[in-house]
Every structure is written in structure tokens, then in C-alpha cells.
Coordinates of all heavy atoms in Angstrom, one line a residue:
M60 N -113.4 -49.5 -10.1 CA -113.8 -50.9 -10.1 C -115.3 -51.1 -10.0 O -115.7 -52.2 -10.2 CB -113.1 -51.6 -9.0 CG -111.6 -51.8 -9.3 SD -111.0 -53.0 -8.1 CE -109.3 -52.9 -8.5
H61 N -116.0 -50.1 -9.7 CA -117.5 -50.3 -9.6 C -118.2 -50.6 -10.9 O -119.1 -51.3 -10.9 CB -118.1 -49.1 -8.9 CG -117.7 -48.9 -7.4 ND1 -118.0 -49.9 -6.5 CD2 -116.9 -48.0 -6.8 CE1 -117.5 -49.5 -5.3 NE2 -116.8 -48.4 -5.5
K62 N -117.7 -50.0 -12.0 CA -118.3 -50.2 -13.2 C -118.3 -51.6 -13.7 O -119.3 -52.1 -14.1 CB -117.7 -49.2 -14.3 CG -118.2 -47.8 -14.1 CD -117.8 -47.0 -15.2 CE -118.2 -45.5 -15.0 NZ -118.0 -44.7 -16.1
P63 N -117.2 -52.3 -13.7 CA -117.2 -53.7 -14.1 C -118.1 -54.6 -13.2 O -118.8 -55.4 -13.7 CB -115.7 -54.2 -13.9 CG -114.9 -52.9 -14.1 CD -115.8 -51.9 -13.5
A64 N -118.1 -54.3 -11.9 CA -119.0 -55.0 -11.0 C -120.4 -54.8 -11.3 O -121.2 -55.8 -11.4 CB -118.7 -54.7 -9.5
S65 N -120.8 -53.6 -11.6 CA -122.2 -53.3 -11.9 C -122.6 -53.9 -13.3 O -123.7 -54.3 -13.5 CB -122.5 -51.8 -11.8 OG -121.8 -51.1 -12.8
S66 N -121.6 -53.8 -14.2 CA -121.8 -54.4 -15.5 C -122.1 -55.9 -15.4 O -123.0 -56.5 -16.1 CB -120.6 -54.1 -16.4 OG -120.7 -54.8 -17.6
W67 N -121.3 -56.6 -14.6 CA -121.5 -58.0 -14.4 C -122.8 -58.3 -13.7 O -123.4 -59.3 -14.0 CB -120.3 -58.7 -13.7 CG -119.2 -59.0 -14.6 CD1 -118.0 -58.3 -14.8 CD2 -119.1 -60.0 -15.6 NE1 -117.2 -58.8 -15.8 CE2 -117.9 -59.9 -16.3 CE3 -120.0 -61.0 -15.9 CZ2 -117.5 -60.8 -17.3 CZ3 -119.6 -61.9 -17.0 CH2 -118.4 -61.8 -17.6
A68 N -123.1 -57.5 -12.7 CA -124.4 -57.7 -12.0 C -125.5 -57.6 -13.0 O -126.5 -58.4 -12.9 CB -124.5 -56.7 -10.9
R69 N -125.5 -56.6 -13.9 CA -126.5 -56.4 -14.9 C -126.6 -57.6 -15.8 O -127.7 -58.1 -16.2 CB -126.3 -55.1 -15.7 CG -127.4 -54.2 -15.6 CD -127.2 -52.9 -16.4 NE -125.9 -52.6 -17.0 CZ -125.0 -51.9 -16.4 NH1 -125.2 -51.4 -15.2 NH2 -123.9 -51.6 -17.0
H70 N -125.4 -58.1 -16.2 CA -125.3 -59.2 -17.1 C -125.9 -60.5 -16.4 O -126.7 -61.2 -17.0 CB -123.9 -59.5 -17.5 CG -123.7 -60.7 -18.4 ND1 -124.1 -60.7 -19.7 CD2 -123.1 -61.9 -18.1 CE1 -123.8 -61.9 -20.2 NE2 -123.2 -62.7 -19.2
L71 N -125.6 -60.6 -15.1 CA -126.1 -61.8 -14.4 C -127.6 -61.7 -14.2 O -128.4 -62.6 -14.4 CB -125.5 -61.9 -13.0 CG -125.9 -63.0 -12.1 CD1 -125.7 -64.4 -12.8 CD2 -125.2 -62.9 -10.8
D72 N -128.1 -60.5 -13.9 CA -129.6 -60.3 -13.8 C -130.3 -60.6 -15.1 O -131.3 -61.2 -15.1 CB -129.9 -58.8 -13.4 CG -129.5 -58.5 -11.9 OD1 -129.3 -59.5 -11.1 OD2 -129.4 -57.3 -11.6
N73 N -129.7 -60.1 -16.2 CA -130.3 -60.4 -17.5 C -130.3 -61.9 -17.8 O -131.3 -62.4 -18.3 CB -129.6 -59.7 -18.6 CG -129.8 -58.2 -18.6 OD1 -130.8 -57.7 -18.0 ND2 -128.9 -57.4 -19.2
A74 N -129.2 -62.6 -17.5 CA -129.1 -64.0 -17.8 C -130.1 -64.8 -16.9 O -130.8 -65.7 -17.4 CB -127.7 -64.5 -17.5
I75 N -130.3 -64.4 -15.7 CA -131.3 -65.0 -14.8 C -132.7 -64.8 -15.3 O -133.5 -65.7 -15.4 CB -131.2 -64.5 -13.3 CG1 -129.9 -65.1 -12.8 CG2 -132.3 -64.9 -12.5 CD1 -129.5 -64.5 -11.4
A76 N -133.0 -63.6 -15.7 CA -134.3 -63.2 -16.3 C -134.6 -64.0 -17.5 O -135.7 -64.5 -17.7 CB -134.5 -61.7 -16.5
E77 N -133.6 -64.1 -18.4 CA -133.8 -64.9 -19.6 C -134.1 -66.4 -19.4 O -134.9 -67.0 -20.0 CB -132.6 -64.8 -20.5 CG -132.5 -63.4 -21.2 CD -131.2 -63.3 -22.0 OE1 -130.6 -64.3 -22.4 OE2 -130.7 -62.1 -22.2
R78 N -133.4 -66.9 -18.4 CA -133.6 -68.4 -18.0 C -134.9 -68.6 -17.4 O -135.6 -69.6 -17.7 CB -132.5 -68.8 -17.1 CG -132.6 -70.3 -16.7 CD -132.7 -71.2 -17.9 NE -133.0 -72.6 -17.4 CZ -134.0 -73.3 -17.9 NH1 -134.8 -72.8 -18.9 NH2 -134.3 -74.5 -17.5
K79 N -135.4 -67.6 -16.6 CA -136.7 -67.8 -16.0 C -137.8 -67.7 -17.1 O -138.7 -68.5 -17.1 CB -137.0 -66.6 -15.0 CG -136.3 -66.8 -13.7 CD -136.6 -65.6 -12.8 CE -135.9 -65.7 -11.4 NZ -136.2 -64.5 -10.6
F80 N -137.6 -66.8 -18.0 CA -138.6 -66.7 -19.1 C -138.5 -68.0 -20.0 O -139.6 -68.5 -20.4 CB -138.4 -65.5 -20.0 CG -139.4 -65.3 -21.0 CD1 -140.8 -65.1 -20.7 CD2 -139.1 -65.5 -22.3 CE1 -141.8 -65.0 -21.6 CE2 -140.1 -65.4 -23.3 CZ -141.4 -65.1 -23.0
Q81 N -137.4 -68.5 -20.2 CA -137.2 -69.7 -21.0 C -138.0 -70.9 -20.3 O -138.7 -71.7 -20.9 CB -135.8 -70.1 -21.1 CG -135.6 -71.4 -22.0 CD -134.1 -71.8 -22.1 OE1 -133.2 -71.3 -21.3 NE2 -133.8 -72.6 -23.0
R82 N -137.9 -70.9 -18.9 CA -138.6 -72.0 -18.2 C -140.1 -71.8 -18.3 O -140.9 -72.7 -18.4 CB -138.1 -72.0 -16.7 CG -138.8 -73.0 -15.9 CD -138.4 -74.5 -16.4 NE -139.1 -75.4 -15.6 CZ -139.7 -76.5 -16.0 NH1 -139.6 -76.8 -17.3 NH2 -140.3 -77.3 -15.2
V83 N -140.6 -70.5 -18.2 CA -142.0 -70.2 -18.3 C -142.5 -70.7 -19.7 O -143.6 -71.3 -19.8 CB -142.3 -68.7 -18.1 CG1 -143.7 -68.4 -18.5 CG2 -142.1 -68.4 -16.6
T84 N -141.7 -70.4 -20.8 CA -142.1 -70.8 -22.1 C -142.1 -72.4 -22.2 O -143.0 -72.9 -22.9 CB -141.2 -70.2 -23.2 OG1 -139.9 -70.6 -23.0 CG2 -141.4 -68.7 -23.2
E85 N -141.2 -73.0 -21.6 CA -141.2 -74.5 -21.6 C -142.5 -75.0 -20.9 O -143.2 -76.0 -21.4 CB -140.0 -75.0 -20.8 CG -138.7 -74.8 -21.6 CD -137.5 -75.1 -20.7 OE1 -137.6 -75.4 -19.5 OE2 -136.4 -74.9 -21.3
L86 N -142.9 -74.4 -19.7 CA -144.1 -74.8 -19.0 C -145.3 -74.5 -19.8 O -146.3 -75.3 -19.9 CB -144.1 -74.1 -17.7 CG -143.1 -74.6 -16.6 CD1 -143.1 -73.7 -15.4 CD2 -143.5 -76.1 -16.2
F87 N -145.3 -73.4 -20.5 CA -146.4 -73.0 -21.4 C -146.6 -74.0 -22.5 O -147.7 -74.4 -22.8 CB -146.2 -71.6 -22.0 CG -147.3 -71.1 -22.9 CD1 -148.5 -70.7 -22.3 CD2 -147.1 -71.1 -24.2 CE1 -149.5 -70.2 -23.2 CE2 -148.1 -70.7 -25.1 CZ -149.3 -70.2 -24.5
A88 N -145.5 -74.4 -23.1 CA -145.6 -75.4 -24.2 C -146.1 -76.7 -23.7 O -147.0 -77.4 -24.3 CB -144.2 -75.6 -24.9
A89 N -145.6 -77.1 -22.5 CA -146.1 -78.4 -21.9 C -147.6 -78.3 -21.6 O -148.3 -79.3 -21.9 CB -145.3 -78.7 -20.7
D90 N -148.0 -77.2 -21.0 CA -149.4 -77.0 -20.7 C -150.3 -77.0 -22.0 O -151.3 -77.6 -22.0 CB -149.6 -75.7 -19.9 CG -151.0 -75.5 -19.4 OD1 -151.5 -76.4 -18.6 OD2 -151.7 -74.6 -19.9
S91 N -149.8 -76.4 -23.0 CA -150.5 -76.4 -24.3 C -150.6 -77.8 -24.9 O -151.6 -78.0 -25.6 CB -149.8 -75.4 -25.3 OG -149.8 -74.1 -24.8
R92 N -149.7 -78.6 -24.6 CA -149.8 -80.0 -25.1 C -150.6 -80.9 -24.1 O -150.8 -82.1 -24.4 CB -148.4 -80.6 -25.2 CG -147.5 -80.0 -26.2 CD -146.2 -80.8 -26.4 NE -145.4 -80.9 -25.2 CZ -144.4 -80.0 -24.9 NH1 -144.1 -79.0 -25.7 NH2 -143.8 -80.2 -23.8
G93 N -151.1 -80.3 -23.1 CA -152.0 -81.1 -22.1 C -151.2 -81.8 -21.1 O -151.8 -82.7 -20.4
E94 N -149.9 -81.5 -21.0 CA -149.1 -82.2 -20.0 C -149.3 -81.6 -18.6 O -149.6 -80.4 -18.5 CB -147.6 -82.1 -20.4 CG -147.3 -82.8 -21.7 CD -145.9 -82.6 -22.1 OE1 -145.0 -82.1 -21.4 OE2 -145.6 -82.9 -23.3
T95 N -149.0 -82.3 -17.5 CA -149.1 -81.8 -16.2 C -147.9 -80.9 -15.9 O -146.7 -81.3 -16.2 CB -149.1 -83.0 -15.2 OG1 -150.2 -83.8 -15.5 CG2 -149.2 -82.4 -13.8
I96 N -148.1 -79.7 -15.5 CA -147.0 -78.8 -15.2 C -146.8 -78.6 -13.7 O -145.9 -77.9 -13.3 CB -147.2 -77.4 -15.8 CG1 -148.5 -76.7 -15.3 CG2 -147.3 -77.5 -17.3 CD1 -148.6 -75.3 -15.6
G97 N -147.5 -79.3 -12.9 CA -147.3 -79.2 -11.4 C -148.7 -79.4 -10.7 O -149.7 -79.6 -11.4
F98 N -148.6 -79.3 -9.4 CA -149.8 -79.5 -8.6 C -149.8 -78.4 -7.6 O -148.8 -77.9 -7.2 CB -149.7 -80.9 -7.9 CG -149.6 -82.1 -8.8 CD1 -148.4 -82.6 -9.2 CD2 -150.8 -82.6 -9.4 CE1 -148.3 -83.7 -10.0 CE2 -150.7 -83.6 -10.3 CZ -149.5 -84.2 -10.6
G99 N -151.0 -78.1 -7.1 CA -151.2 -77.1 -6.1 C -151.7 -75.8 -6.6 O -151.8 -75.6 -7.8
P100 N -151.8 -74.9 -5.7 CA -152.4 -73.5 -6.0 C -151.5 -72.8 -7.0 O -151.9 -72.1 -7.9 CB -152.5 -72.8 -4.7 CG -152.1 -73.7 -3.6 CD -151.7 -75.0 -4.2
G101 N -150.1 -72.9 -6.9 CA -149.2 -72.2 -7.8 C -149.4 -72.7 -9.2 O -149.4 -71.9 -10.1
A102 N -149.4 -74.0 -9.3 CA -149.6 -74.6 -10.7 C -151.0 -74.2 -11.2 O -151.1 -74.0 -12.5 CB -149.4 -76.1 -10.6
D103 N -152.0 -74.2 -10.4 CA -153.3 -73.8 -10.8 C -153.3 -72.4 -11.4 O -153.9 -72.1 -12.4 CB -154.3 -73.9 -9.7 CG -154.6 -75.3 -9.3 OD1 -154.3 -76.3 -10.1 OD2 -155.2 -75.5 -8.2
R104 N -152.6 -71.5 -10.7 CA -152.5 -70.1 -11.1 C -151.8 -70.0 -12.5 O -152.1 -69.2 -13.3 CB -151.9 -69.2 -10.1 CG -152.8 -68.9 -8.9 CD -152.3 -67.8 -8.0 NE -151.1 -68.1 -7.3 CZ -151.0 -68.8 -6.2 NH1 -152.1 -69.2 -5.6 NH2 -149.9 -69.1 -5.6
M105 N -150.7 -70.8 -12.6 CA -150.0 -70.8 -13.9 C -150.9 -71.3 -15.0 O -150.9 -70.7 -16.1 CB -148.7 -71.6 -13.8 CG -147.6 -71.0 -13.1 SD -146.0 -71.8 -13.4 CE -145.3 -70.6 -14.5
R106 N -151.6 -72.3 -14.8 CA -152.5 -72.9 -15.8 C -153.5 -71.8 -16.2 O -153.8 -71.6 -17.4 CB -153.2 -74.2 -15.4 CG -152.3 -75.4 -15.5 CD -153.0 -76.7 -15.3 NE -153.5 -76.8 -13.9 CZ -152.7 -77.3 -12.9 NH1 -151.5 -77.7 -13.1 NH2 -153.2 -77.4 -11.7
E107 N -154.1 -71.1 -15.2 CA -155.0 -70.0 -15.5 C -154.4 -68.9 -16.3 O -155.0 -68.4 -17.3 CB -155.6 -69.5 -14.2 CG -156.5 -70.4 -13.5 CD -156.8 -70.0 -12.0 OE1 -156.4 -68.9 -11.6 OE2 -157.5 -70.8 -11.3
A108 N -153.2 -68.5 -16.0 CA -152.5 -67.5 -16.7 C -152.2 -67.9 -18.1 O -152.4 -67.2 -19.1 CB -151.2 -67.1 -16.0
F109 N -151.8 -69.2 -18.3 CA -151.5 -69.7 -19.6 C -152.8 -69.8 -20.5 O -152.8 -69.4 -21.7 CB -150.9 -71.1 -19.5 CG -149.5 -71.2 -19.0 CD1 -149.0 -72.3 -18.5 CD2 -148.7 -70.0 -19.0 CE1 -147.7 -72.4 -17.9 CE2 -147.4 -70.1 -18.4 CZ -146.9 -71.3 -17.9
A110 N -153.9 -70.2 -19.9 CA -155.2 -70.2 -20.6 C -155.6 -68.8 -21.0 O -156.0 -68.6 -22.1 CB -156.3 -70.8 -19.7
A111 N -155.3 -67.8 -20.2 CA -155.6 -66.4 -20.5 C -154.7 -65.9 -21.7 O -155.2 -65.2 -22.5 CB -155.4 -65.5 -19.3
V112 N -153.5 -66.3 -21.7 CA -152.6 -65.9 -22.8 C -153.1 -66.6 -24.1 O -153.2 -65.9 -25.1 CB -151.1 -66.4 -22.5 CG1 -150.3 -66.4 -23.7 CG2 -150.5 -65.5 -21.4
R113 N -153.4 -67.8 -24.1 CA -153.9 -68.5 -25.3 C -155.2 -67.8 -25.7 O -155.4 -67.6 -26.9 CB -154.2 -70.0 -25.0 CG -152.9 -70.8 -25.0 CD -153.1 -72.3 -25.0 NE -153.7 -72.7 -23.8 CZ -152.9 -73.1 -22.7 NH1 -151.6 -73.1 -22.8 NH2 -153.5 -73.5 -21.6
E114 N -156.1 -67.5 -24.8 CA -157.4 -66.8 -25.1 C -157.1 -65.4 -25.7 O -157.7 -65.1 -26.8 CB -158.2 -66.7 -23.9 CG -159.6 -66.1 -24.1 CD -160.4 -66.0 -22.8 OE1 -160.4 -67.0 -22.0 OE2 -161.0 -65.0 -22.6
K115 N -156.3 -64.7 -25.2 CA -155.9 -63.3 -25.7 C -155.3 -63.4 -27.1 O -155.6 -62.6 -28.0 CB -155.0 -62.6 -24.7 CG -154.7 -61.2 -25.1 CD -156.0 -60.3 -25.1 CE -155.6 -58.8 -25.5 NZ -156.8 -58.0 -25.5
A116 N -154.4 -64.4 -27.3 CA -153.8 -64.6 -28.6 C -154.8 -64.9 -29.6 O -154.8 -64.4 -30.7 CB -152.7 -65.6 -28.5
A117 N -155.8 -65.8 -29.3 CA -156.8 -66.1 -30.2 C -157.7 -64.9 -30.5 O -158.1 -64.7 -31.7 CB -157.7 -67.3 -29.6
E118 N -158.0 -64.1 -29.5 CA -158.8 -62.9 -29.7 C -158.0 -61.9 -30.7 O -158.6 -61.4 -31.6 CB -159.0 -62.2 -28.4 CG -159.7 -60.9 -28.5 CD -159.8 -60.2 -27.1 OE1 -160.0 -60.9 -26.1 OE2 -159.6 -59.0 -27.0
L119 N -156.7 -61.7 -30.5 CA -155.9 -60.8 -31.3 C -155.9 -61.3 -32.8 O -156.0 -60.5 -33.7 CB -154.5 -60.7 -30.8 CG -154.4 -59.9 -29.5 CD1 -153.0 -59.9 -28.9 CD2 -154.9 -58.4 -29.7
R120 N -155.8 -62.6 -32.9 CA -155.8 -63.2 -34.3 C -157.1 -63.0 -34.9 O -157.2 -62.7 -36.1 CB -155.4 -64.7 -34.2 CG -153.9 -64.9 -34.0 CD -153.4 -66.3 -34.2 NE -154.1 -67.2 -33.2 CZ -153.6 -67.5 -32.0 NH1 -152.4 -66.9 -31.6 NH2 -154.2 -68.3 -31.2
A121 N -158.2 -63.2 -34.2 CA -159.6 -63.1 -34.7 C -159.9 -61.7 -35.2 O -160.6 -61.6 -36.2 CB -160.6 -63.6 -33.7
I122 N -159.4 -60.7 -34.5 CA -159.7 -59.4 -34.9 C -158.7 -58.8 -35.8 O -158.7 -57.6 -36.2 CB -160.0 -58.4 -33.7 CG1 -158.7 -58.3 -32.8 CG2 -161.2 -58.9 -32.9 CD1 -158.8 -57.4 -31.7
G123 N -157.7 -59.6 -36.2 CA -156.7 -59.1 -37.1 C -155.6 -58.3 -36.6 O -154.8 -57.7 -37.3
K124 N -155.5 -58.2 -35.2 CA -154.4 -57.3 -34.6 C -153.1 -58.1 -34.5 O -152.1 -57.5 -34.2 CB -154.9 -56.8 -33.3 CG -156.0 -55.7 -33.5 CD -156.1 -54.9 -32.3 CE -157.1 -53.8 -32.6 NZ -157.1 -52.8 -31.6
A125 N -153.1 -59.4 -34.6 CA -151.9 -60.2 -34.5 C -151.3 -60.3 -35.9 O -151.9 -60.9 -36.7 CB -152.2 -61.5 -33.9
Q126 N -150.2 -59.7 -36.1 CA -149.6 -59.7 -37.4 C -148.4 -60.6 -37.5 O -147.8 -60.8 -38.6 CB -149.2 -58.3 -37.8 CG -150.3 -57.3 -37.9 CD -149.9 -55.9 -38.1 OE1 -148.7 -55.6 -38.2 NE2 -150.8 -55.0 -38.3
R127 N -148.1 -61.3 -36.4 CA -147.0 -62.2 -36.5 C -147.6 -63.6 -36.3 O -148.8 -63.8 -36.1 CB -146.1 -61.9 -35.3 CG -145.4 -60.5 -35.4 CD -144.6 -60.3 -34.2 NE -144.0 -58.9 -34.3 CZ -143.5 -58.3 -33.2 NH1 -143.5 -58.9 -32.1 NH2 -143.1 -57.1 -33.3
G128 N -146.7 -64.6 -36.3 CA -147.1 -66.0 -36.2 C -147.7 -66.3 -34.8 O -147.4 -65.5 -33.8
D129 N -148.4 -67.3 -34.7 CA -149.0 -67.7 -33.4 C -148.1 -67.8 -32.2 O -148.3 -67.2 -31.2 CB -149.7 -69.1 -33.5 CG -150.9 -69.0 -34.4 OD1 -151.3 -67.9 -34.9 OD2 -151.5 -70.1 -34.7
L130 N -146.9 -68.4 -32.4 CA -146.0 -68.6 -31.4 C -145.4 -67.2 -30.9 O -145.2 -67.0 -29.7 CB -144.8 -69.5 -31.8 CG -145.2 -71.0 -32.0 CD1 -144.0 -71.8 -32.5 CD2 -145.8 -71.6 -30.8
R131 N -145.2 -66.3 -31.8 CA -144.6 -65.0 -31.5 C -145.7 -64.2 -30.7 O -145.3 -63.6 -29.7 CB -144.2 -64.3 -32.8 CG -143.5 -63.0 -32.5 CD -142.2 -63.3 -31.8 NE -141.7 -62.0 -31.3 CZ -140.7 -61.9 -30.5 NH1 -140.0 -62.9 -30.1 NH2 -140.3 -60.7 -30.1
V132 N -146.9 -64.3 -31.1 CA -148.0 -63.6 -30.3 C -148.0 -64.1 -28.9 O -148.1 -63.3 -28.0 CB -149.3 -63.7 -31.0 CG1 -150.5 -63.2 -30.2 CG2 -149.3 -63.0 -32.4
E133 N -148.1 -65.4 -28.8 CA -148.2 -66.0 -27.4 C -146.9 -65.7 -26.6 O -147.0 -65.4 -25.4 CB -148.4 -67.5 -27.5 CG -149.8 -67.8 -28.1 CD -150.0 -69.3 -28.4 OE1 -149.0 -70.1 -28.4 OE2 -151.2 -69.6 -28.6
R134 N -145.8 -65.7 -27.2 CA -144.5 -65.4 -26.5 C -144.5 -63.9 -26.0 O -144.2 -63.7 -24.9 CB -143.3 -65.6 -27.4 CG -142.0 -65.3 -26.8 CD -140.8 -65.6 -27.8 NE -139.6 -65.1 -27.3 CZ -138.8 -65.6 -26.4 NH1 -139.1 -66.8 -26.0 NH2 -137.7 -65.1 -26.1
D135 N -145.0 -63.0 -26.9 CA -145.1 -61.6 -26.5 C -146.0 -61.4 -25.3 O -145.8 -60.7 -24.4 CB -145.5 -60.7 -27.6 CG -144.4 -60.6 -28.7 OD1 -143.3 -60.9 -28.5 OD2 -144.8 -60.1 -29.8
L136 N -147.2 -62.1 -25.4 CA -148.1 -62.0 -24.3 C -147.6 -62.7 -23.0 O -147.8 -62.1 -21.9 CB -149.4 -62.7 -24.6 CG -150.3 -62.0 -25.7 CD1 -151.4 -62.9 -26.2 CD2 -150.8 -60.7 -25.2
L137 N -146.8 -63.8 -23.1 CA -146.2 -64.4 -21.9 C -145.2 -63.4 -21.3 O -145.1 -63.4 -20.0 CB -145.5 -65.7 -22.3 CG -146.2 -67.0 -22.3 CD1 -145.4 -68.1 -22.8 CD2 -146.8 -67.3 -21.0
Q138 N -144.5 -62.7 -22.1 CA -143.5 -61.8 -21.5 C -144.1 -60.7 -20.7 O -143.6 -60.2 -19.7 CB -142.6 -61.1 -22.6 CG -141.6 -62.0 -23.1 CD -140.7 -61.3 -24.1 OE1 -141.1 -60.7 -25.1 NE2 -139.4 -61.4 -23.9
R139 N -145.4 -60.4 -21.0 CA -146.1 -59.3 -20.3 C -146.8 -59.9 -19.1 O -147.4 -59.1 -18.3 CB -147.1 -58.6 -21.2 CG -146.4 -57.8 -22.2 CD -147.4 -57.0 -23.1 NE -146.9 -57.1 -24.5 CZ -147.7 -57.4 -25.5 NH1 -148.9 -57.6 -25.3 NH2 -147.2 -57.4 -26.7
T140 N -146.9 -61.2 -18.9 CA -147.7 -61.8 -17.9 C -146.8 -61.8 -16.6 O -145.7 -62.2 -16.6 CB -148.1 -63.2 -18.2 OG1 -148.9 -63.2 -19.4 CG2 -148.9 -63.9 -17.1
R141 N -147.5 -61.5 -15.5 CA -146.8 -61.5 -14.2 C -147.3 -62.7 -13.4 O -148.5 -62.9 -13.3 CB -147.1 -60.2 -13.4 CG -146.6 -59.0 -14.0 CD -145.1 -58.9 -14.0 NE -144.7 -57.7 -14.7 CZ -143.8 -57.7 -15.6 NH1 -143.3 -58.8 -16.0 NH2 -143.4 -56.6 -16.2
F142 N -146.3 -63.5 -12.9 CA -146.7 -64.7 -12.1 C -146.4 -64.5 -10.7 O -145.6 -63.8 -10.3 CB -145.9 -65.9 -12.6 CG -146.2 -66.3 -14.0 CD1 -145.5 -65.9 -15.1 CD2 -147.3 -67.2 -14.2 CE1 -145.8 -66.3 -16.4 CE2 -147.7 -67.5 -15.5 CZ -146.9 -67.1 -16.6

């Protein structure tokens, strides 16, 4: 009975991680549109991280290393960002 339990635990962990990332992408999109994403030091750190992602994506596009669309490049960079 341990295998189904661990399988469900893994599935739940994956679902939670996917939802967290979805929320981060929603906040990134809102910040990119100039909307307020929150207040305080945590929100400030997120805005700084989002600005760094946009800057890195622009750099990759400028030097020709980004071979996918803008949104995909930014999404890939967001996935690597630790908050």
C-alpha cells in the first residue's frame, strides 16, 4: 500500500508546484503590465526578480541566444528563479 500513497503524494506535490508557478507567472504578467503586485519587502524582492528576468530575456534576445518567443524565454527564466 505504500506505492499508491507515495504516488499520490508525488502527484499532489507536482500539482502544488504547478499551481505555485502558475501564480508566479500571473504576478509576473501583472508586474509587466505595471500593475501593483503587493506591498512590502516581499513584493519588492519579487519586483526585483521579475525585472532581472525581463533584463536577462532581453539580453538573450539581443545576442541571439533566445530561439523561442519572448513569453517562452521569460517563462523558462522564471522557472529557474528562486523566490
